[in-house]
Amino acid sequence: MLSGIRTQPFQSGRGPLSPGSRAGLGAALALLILVSAMEWAEGPAAHYIALMVIAPLLAAALGSWRVVLGVGVLATAIGAAFALAERTLSLVSAVNVTGVALATGIAGAVAAVRQRQSEKIAELSRLASVAQQAVLRPIGPQVGTLTVAARYISSTARAEIGGDLYEAMDTPYGVRMIIGDVRGKGLDAVRLASIVLGSYRHVAYERADLRAVVTDLDRAVARNVGDEDFVTAALVEERGGTLTIVNCGHPPPLLLRGGAVIPLEPPAPAPPLGFMPVVRPRVERLEPGDRLLLFTDGLGEARRDGEFFPTADRAWQLLGHGTVADGLASLETALVEWVHGRLDDDIALVLMQYTGSRSEVTAAVPSWEVGAAES
């Protein structure tokens, strides 16, 4: 999983060496052994001491500053030993040994700066992961009558957070889900995604009609964005086996049933949140075993050599078997292979399976009819 890639922090010096430090130490020691063998073969005259300056510089590229200093001290000692073994200590040998010592100090300083920067990047990555977990809470595996799984695939190896959002909750009006995509990237997109999710988590419990939920979310977005910012979103409600969907400029969910894949297009197009959408619900009757895939447009835009990932064609093969979590894992693996590990946009995925109505549910009434009946 792309979002599973982590930035590996360099060890601060205590405890086991990091992989980078081990690689740097191994390469530097191999170089010292090679140069020492060459000096030994040449006899008492020192010819290759200057090459030992490479050892601390090589270690600085990968290892911690403690490893660099250790390698540098060893290189300086070996160089001094070969210089003193000469019949007469030459000025060139003395300068070469001094150069190795100076290079050790410089390489150690460079390694310390690089190590601090790497630790900062690792800390930022950790904070981003914590922030994502706060914004995108884990959902599933069971929400009401639905088994649910979700995944977030980051397009950037060092970042796990963006403007894609999802949520699933069991409310008095049935199981309600949202998936959305904020225009733009970075912290502003994360901020707006958190605003939408915060508003949704409140109004999903308060509004019987999904259209009223959309109105409230639109107001929340309009209060916090510029004229050209918006959020595409699809809202889904399952109540007594009836599925109600409202779509605000978002890719339509895919219904998987009996080997067929059905895009649930809205009855009429509506603009994204922030542009005062007027939505018309689409209602479907669910059958036990039906699965529904919600996704953001990063999936639809994933391509290689100009050819888009065939989501609809491969959806049943990838998602129609095993658990919903297994299905999403299969989809992600196929997607990453298709794009050769390079995605242009983050992707949020939610897969649900209808397992049958709860016994206490006696009527299959979508939320927009419930709102009309109550008025």
Side-chain angles (χ1 to χ4, degrees):
M1 186 171 87
L2 296 182
S3 62
I5 300 174
R6 298 287 189 272
T7 302
Q8 296 293 335
F10 288 84
Q11 300 291 336
S12 59
R14 302 185 185 277
L17 294 177
S18 68
S21 292
R22 288 197 296 270
L25 178 60
L29 291 179
L31 176 66
L32 290 179
I33 293 171
L34 177 62
V35 174
S36 298
M38 294 168 58
E39 283 287 4
W40 187 268
E42 285 291 328
H47 298 286
Y48 304 109
I49 294 177
L51 293 179
M52 293 186 180
V53 75
I54 301 175
L57 298 177
L58 185 61
L62 298 171
S64 68
W65 65 268
R66 287 182 172 85
V67 169
V68 173
L69 291 183
V71 169
V73 169
L74 179 61
T76 303
I78 295 175
F82 280 115
L84 293 175
E86 293 181 314
R87 294 185 179 91
T88 303
L89 179 63
S90 66
L91 178 61
V92 172
S93 295
V95 170
N96 286 340
V97 172
T98 303
V100 174
L102 291 175
T104 298
I106 295 172
V110 170
V113 172
R114 178 190 47 75
Q115 183 176 331
R116 284 196 298 269
Q117 292 176 339
S118 177
E119 290 171 349
K120 289 180 180 179
I121 292 174
E123 179 66 10
L124 289 174
S125 179
R126 187 187 69 82
L127 291 175
S129 179
V130 171
Q132 185 192 39
Q133 292 173 13
V135 174
L136 297 180
R137 301 181 304 194
I139 60 176
Q142 190 76 27
V143 184
T145 60
L146 308 177
T147 55
V148 183
R151 293 177 89 89
Y152 191 101
I153 309 174
S154 176
S155 62
T156 306
R158 291 188 176 181
E160 285 191 30
I161 192 164
D164 292 16
L165 58 99
Y166 54 77
E167 182 61 284
M169 300 181 298
D170 192 6
T171 75
Y173 309 105
V175 177
R176 286 181 164 178
M177 293 182 288
I178 184 175
I179 191 162
D181 190 357
V182 176
R183 177 184 179 272
K185 296 179 181 294
L187 293 178
D188 288 340
V190 175
R191 180 184 64 85
L192 185 53
S194 66
I195 291 171
V196 173
L197 284 175
S199 299
Y200 178 76
R201 287 164 183 158
H202 173 70
V203 299
Y205 284 93
E206 301 296 327
R207 305 297 189 192
D209 192 330
L210 278 182
R211 293 173 295 185
V213 175
V214 169
T215 300
D216 288 343
L217 294 180
D218 178 68
R219 290 171 181 166
V221 171
R223 285 193 298 264
N224 291 277
V225 300
D227 293 338
E228 297 182 358
D229 295 323
F230 57 84
V231 181
T232 67
L235 284 71
V236 176
E237 175 188 287
E238 183 278 322
R239 181 179 176 89
T242 297
L243 187 72
T244 305
I245 304 171
V246 294
N247 196 313
C248 304
H250 198 77
L254 299 180
L255 176 64
L256 285 70
R257 173 181 293 166
V261 179
I262 308 167
L264 299 183
E265 299 280 355
L273 299 174
F275 291 149
M276 296 184 292
V278 177
V279 295
R280 290 180 57 190
R282 173 163 181 165
V283 180
E284 296 286 336
R285 183 65 182 172
L286 291 175
E287 301 173 3
D290 283 352
R291 291 188 173 185
L292 187 72
L293 175 66
L294 310 175
F295 57 94
T296 54
D297 60 6
L299 178 61
E301 295 173 357
R303 59 186 178 272
R304 67 178 182 195
D305 302 327
E307 186 177 359
F308 291 96
F309 181 74
T311 303
D313 293 340
R314 301 186 62 182
W316 179 260
Q317 175 189 359
L318 297 170
L319 302 171
H321 309 282
T323 66
V324 288
D326 293 337
L328 288 186
S330 298
L331 175 59
E332 181 179 348
T333 299
L335 177 65
V336 172
E337 291 177 353
W338 179 272
V339 299
H340 303 302
R342 300 179 61 183
L343 289 168
D344 296 327
D345 195 7
D346 294 356
I347 301 172
L349 302 170
V350 178
L351 182 63
M352 56 141 270
Q353 178 173 332
Y354 177 63
T355 56
S357 300
R358 289 174 289 193
S359 58
E360 67 268 25
V361 177
T362 59
V365 184
S367 67
W368 54 278
E369 290 188 2
V370 169
E374 291 177 349
S375 58

